């Protein structure tokens, strides 16, 4: 009976506090104040928790007189292209023109409640999805902003690890960084890092400021029992082989004391020429847990790496080990699509490496064509190329020979049995954009072990003549480790084609 009365009193007090917060008003004067700071001012004035996504940036100049909490948040968000929502008394501020336009783009905002894990611990298992998640260490929520298919993966991962238990796991993650981003990293952490490879403790909130400049490379984990030594050997690094020994000195309910021995040795060809291998070796003792993790940075050859180690308390579960198999790079670094048509002996190649893109066309009865340009990810699984070029003639002064080309390439996803991929290209003369040509080649196959059966739709349209044609091909292919080799035949045009889609 006493428990029921106590619970009732708590609920009444909570309702009263929320009602008071909704009715009270306050005034604000912002003059070129950062949005992050302005929302914190609102948080303090109304005594509510406001979580602001790290991508929110810019300054605000605004006067608000005698406004309620919702009026303040609504006015500030509307004026600066943001949105907000309330979940269990915690307000989330995100970057988007409006919640409606976000939904129109297939995105949605959701809050995930954690039962047993802290938000920091949960994020240790969600490294591939950090672009979609915002969290506050002191609250058991993750705020998700992204497409539904990514949300389903995040929710499944949380369900696997957010379970009761007392086992502690040592989790490591490896990231690569560009030289410019690495220089910024060094400047930010100069006072903390005493030597290359030296592990130091930092909090999750500070570290996650650098997520956008990092590329997730690989990971691993092991159960952390006091007195146990865990050995991690990675093969993820393109320019170095890393070995890390972690000795677990002590484990408590909230933190662990770990001693690291890290060594990274260059695997470049220079070692074969008598040049000493580049070696990083350092020892560190760091306390992790309670929203803190160990971080080390080092350079090997032309590559820069960041290694993080944290502890996660969870129950043993086979689903945790299954979860590790879903981790991997956010986007492919490169892709190459090649096509050979036996009917007219034409060869086409289109590919990218990083931000560089290249296209080649070879035909028996036409001049050699080359396109060069840039590429970038425009959606999950979709890479866009902006290529400029054209046929190479003996008379290079004729500008009418040069064309611009835009190509969109959908990479095949080999995680499921249904494999879809395609290339759509639009070409136009640089001197007359109304004279354009459209081509589409789309593949759809079903994978059985390493065999793929399906077909391809080919479509062409020339605006100048108004001519269009399509063709259908049956295909059989071999699939292995991110590559597919196809043989196609069209009964319509009696044509054989050979295709390879190679990605990493």
């Amino acid at each position: 009976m006493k428990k029921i009365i106590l619970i009732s009193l708590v609920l009444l007090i909570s309702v009263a506090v929320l009602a008071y917060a909704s009715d009270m008003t306050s005034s604000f004067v912002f003059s070129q104040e950062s949005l992050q700071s302005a929302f914190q001012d609102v948080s303090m004035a109304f005594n509510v928790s406001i979580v602001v996504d790290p991508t929110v940036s810019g300054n605000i100049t605004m006067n608000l007189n005698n406004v309620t909490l919702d009026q303040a948040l609504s006015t500030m968000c509307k004026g600066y292209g943001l949105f907000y929502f309330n979940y269990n008394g915690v307000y989330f501020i995100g970057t988007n023109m409006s919640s409606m336009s976000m939904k129109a783009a297939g995105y949605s905002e959701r809050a995930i409640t954690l039962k047993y894990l802290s938000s920091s611990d949960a994020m240790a298992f969600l490294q591939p999805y950090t672009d979609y998640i915002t969290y506050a260490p002191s609250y058991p929520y993750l705020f998700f902003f992204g497409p539904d298919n990514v949300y389903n993966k995040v929710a499944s991962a949380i369900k696997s690890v957010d379970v009761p238990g007392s086992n502690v796991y040592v989790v490591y993650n490896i990231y690569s960084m560009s030289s410019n981003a690495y220089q910024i990293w060094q400047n930010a952490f100069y006072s903390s890092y005493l030597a290359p490879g030296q592990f130091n403790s930092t909090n999750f909130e500070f570290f996650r400021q650098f997520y956008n400049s990092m590329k997730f490379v690989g990971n691993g984990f092991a159960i952390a029992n006091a007195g146990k030594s865990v050995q991690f050997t990675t093969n993820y690094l393109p320019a170095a082989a890393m070995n890390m020994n972690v000795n677990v000195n002590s484990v408590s309910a909230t933190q662990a004391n770990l001693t690291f021995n890290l060594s990274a040795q260059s695997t470049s060809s220079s070692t074969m020429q008598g040049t000493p291998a580049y070696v990083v070796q350092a020892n560190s003792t760091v306390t992790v847990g309670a929203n803190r993790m160990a971080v080390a940075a080092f350079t090997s050859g032309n590559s820069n790496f960041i290694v993080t180690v944290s502890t996660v308390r969870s129950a043993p579960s086979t689903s945790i080990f299954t979860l590790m198999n879903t981790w991997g790079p956010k986007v492919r670094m490169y892709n190459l699509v090649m096509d050979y048509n036996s009917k007219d002996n034409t060869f086409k190649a289109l590919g990218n490496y990083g931000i560089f893109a290249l296209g080649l066309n070879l035909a028996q009865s036409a001049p050699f064509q080359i396109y060069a340009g840039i590429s970038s990810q425009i959606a999950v699984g979709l890479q866009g190329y902006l290529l400029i070029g054209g046929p190479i003639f003996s008379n290079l002064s004729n500008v009418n020979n040069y064309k611009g080309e835009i190509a969109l390439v959908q990479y095949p996803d080999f995680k499921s049995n249904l494999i879809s991929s395609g290339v759509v290209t639009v070409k136009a003369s640089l001197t007359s954009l109304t004279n354009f040509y459209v081509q589409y080649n789309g593949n759809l196959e079903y994978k059985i072990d390493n065999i793929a059966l399906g077909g391809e739709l080919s479509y062409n349209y020339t605006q100048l003549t108004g001519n269009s044609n399509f063709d259908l091909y049956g295909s059989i292919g071999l699939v292995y480790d991110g590559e597919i080799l196809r043989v196609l035949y069209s009964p319509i045009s009696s044509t054989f084609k050979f295709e390879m889609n190679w990605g990493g």
Side-chain angles (χ1 to χ4, degrees):
M1 185 65 181
K2 290 182 178 179
K3 289 184 178 180
I4 295 176
I5 294 174
L6 181 60
I7 293 173
S8 300
L9 287 173
V10 171
L11 289 174
L12 287 172
I13 293 172
S14 300
V15 171
V17 170
L18 290 174
Y20 174 72
S22 63
D23 291 337
M24 68 178 294
T25 62
S26 187
S27 299
F28 304 91
V29 177
F30 303 123
S31 178
Q32 286 299 302
E33 185 174 349
S34 72
L35 283 166
Q36 293 276 348
S37 176
F39 282 114
Q40 292 307 311
D41 291 343
V42 175
S43 172
M44 295 178 63
F46 289 98
N47 194 26
V48 295
S49 300
I50 298 178
V51 178
V52 185
D53 191 282
T55 58
V56 173
S57 61
N59 298 325
I60 180 174
T61 298
M62 183 178 290
N63 293 337
L64 299 172
N65 297 316
N66 295 322
V67 291
T68 64
L69 172 61
D70 283 321
Q71 288 173 339
L73 294 180
S74 177
T75 304
M76 294 169 68
C77 289
K78 184 178 180 180
Y80 289 85
L82 306 172
F83 75 96
Y84 79 96
F85 69 95
N86 177 10
Y87 183 79
N88 285 355
V90 178
Y91 289 81
F92 171 73
I93 311 294
T95 55
N96 199 61
M97 288 182 11
S98 70
S99 183
M100 184 177 295
S101 65
M102 181 178 62
K103 288 182 172 63
Y107 278 42
S108 58
E109 72 276 10
R110 309 191 189 188
I112 302 173
T113 301
L114 300 171
K115 297 179 180 178
Y116 305 101
L117 289 178
S118 68
S119 54
S120 299
D121 281 350
M123 288 303 296
F125 277 108
L126 298 171
Q127 293 305 304
Y129 311 117
T130 53
D131 288 346
Y132 305 101
I133 300 173
T134 297
Y135 68 96
S138 55
Y139 297 97
Y141 312 122
L142 299 178
F143 294 99
F144 175 85
F145 167 68
D148 290 341
N149 63 324
V150 177
Y151 171 78
N152 293 334
K153 294 179 181 179
V154 171
S156 176
I158 291 297
K159 185 177 179 181
S160 298
V161 298
D162 189 24
V163 290
S166 57
N167 285 334
V168 176
Y169 293 86
V170 174
V171 181
Y172 79 86
N173 295 290
I174 302 176
Y175 307 85
S176 62
M177 300 183 77
S178 66
S179 297
N180 290 338
Y182 188 69
Q183 184 63 47
I184 296 173
W185 169 274
Q186 285 183 313
N187 294 337
F189 285 84
Y190 180 80
S191 60
S192 300
Y193 288 97
L194 305 178
Q198 182 75 35
F199 278 92
N200 280 265
S201 176
T202 188
N203 62 69
F204 280 89
E205 285 295 306
F206 188 67
F207 177 78
R208 66 196 291 264
Q209 299 176 29
F210 299 89
Y211 273 154
N212 292 334
S213 61
M214 298 180 181
K215 183 183 186 310
F216 179 76
V217 177
N219 61 286
F221 74 101
I223 294 179
N225 297 322
K228 182 178 180 180
S229 182
V230 179
Q231 180 73 34
F232 295 115
T233 302
T234 72
N235 57 357
Y236 299 112
L237 310 186
M242 191 189 83
N243 293 280
M244 181 168 59
N245 187 73
V246 181
N247 187 62
V248 184
N249 302 320
S250 62
V251 177
S252 68
T254 57
Q255 62 186 29
N257 189 268
L258 309 176
T259 297
F260 301 93
N261 180 273
L262 169 70
S263 65
Q265 180 172 344
S266 172
T267 58
S268 65
S269 58
S270 62
T271 59
M272 301 175 60
Q273 303 171 358
T275 304
Y278 183 92
V279 176
V280 172
Q281 189 162 359
N283 293 282
S284 314
T285 300
V286 178
T287 298
V288 299
N291 194 39
R292 300 197 69 80
M293 61 182 176
V295 182
F298 66 91
T299 299
S300 180
N302 295 323
S303 302
N304 309 297
F305 301 104
I306 305 296
V307 183
T308 70
V309 179
S310 55
T311 56
V312 176
R313 181 171 294 276
S314 187
S317 171
T318 55
S319 55
I320 294 180
F321 294 87
T322 303
L323 171 65
M324 303 300 286
N325 295 328
T326 68
W327 289 10
K330 296 179 181 179
V331 295
R332 293 184 175 190
M333 282 293 293
Y334 61 89
N335 181 255
L336 178 63
V337 182
M338 293 190 296
D339 179 300
Y340 173 73
N341 190 317
S342 63
K343 185 176 182 179
D344 51 10
N345 288 325
T346 59
F347 172 81
K348 299 178 182 179
L350 178 68
N352 78 295
Y353 185 86
I355 63 172
F356 301 101
L358 188 68
L360 300 172
N361 288 344
L362 296 172
Q364 192 174 31
S365 58
F368 171 70
Q369 299 179 64
I370 182 170
Y371 302 89
I374 59 175
S375 69
S376 64
Q377 188 190 27
I378 60 174
V380 177
L382 196 64
Q383 193 79 14
Y385 303 86
L386 176 61
L387 303 171
I388 297 178
I392 296 181
F393 295 91
S394 57
N395 182 8
L396 298 180
S397 62
N398 188 355
V399 295
N400 293 320
N401 294 331
Y402 294 94
K403 296 179 174 65
E405 177 175 330
I406 298 176
L408 298 180
V409 180
Q410 179 192 3
Y411 291 153
D413 180 5
F414 297 103
K415 294 181 181 179
S416 61
N417 289 331
L418 194 63
I419 303 174
S420 64
S421 60
V423 180
V424 58
T425 60
V426 180
K427 300 179 184 178
S429 171
L430 296 183
T431 58
S432 177
L433 297 180
T434 58
N435 180 13
F436 64 86
Y437 167 80
V438 179
Q439 182 183 48
Y440 172 74
N441 292 93
N443 297 85
L444 185 65
E445 288 119 338
Y446 188 80
K447 181 179 65 173
I448 306 173
D449 294 329
N450 293 107
I451 304 295
L453 298 173
E456 177 181 288
L457 169 66
S458 176
Y459 174 80
N460 299 275
Y461 174 77
T462 303
Q463 188 272 340
L464 187 63
T465 62
N467 295 332
S468 64
N469 61 78
F470 75 95
D471 210 344
L472 292 174
Y473 295 81
S475 70
I476 181 172
L478 294 176
V479 180
Y480 178 74
D481 194 25
E483 301 176 23
I484 182 168
L485 179 65
R486 301 183 181 96
V487 179
L488 304 102
Y489 174 73
S490 168
I492 298 177
S493 59
S494 300
T495 303
F496 277 100
K497 286 175 47 173
F498 304 92
E499 292 184 354
M500 186 187 78
N501 195 313
W502 178 30

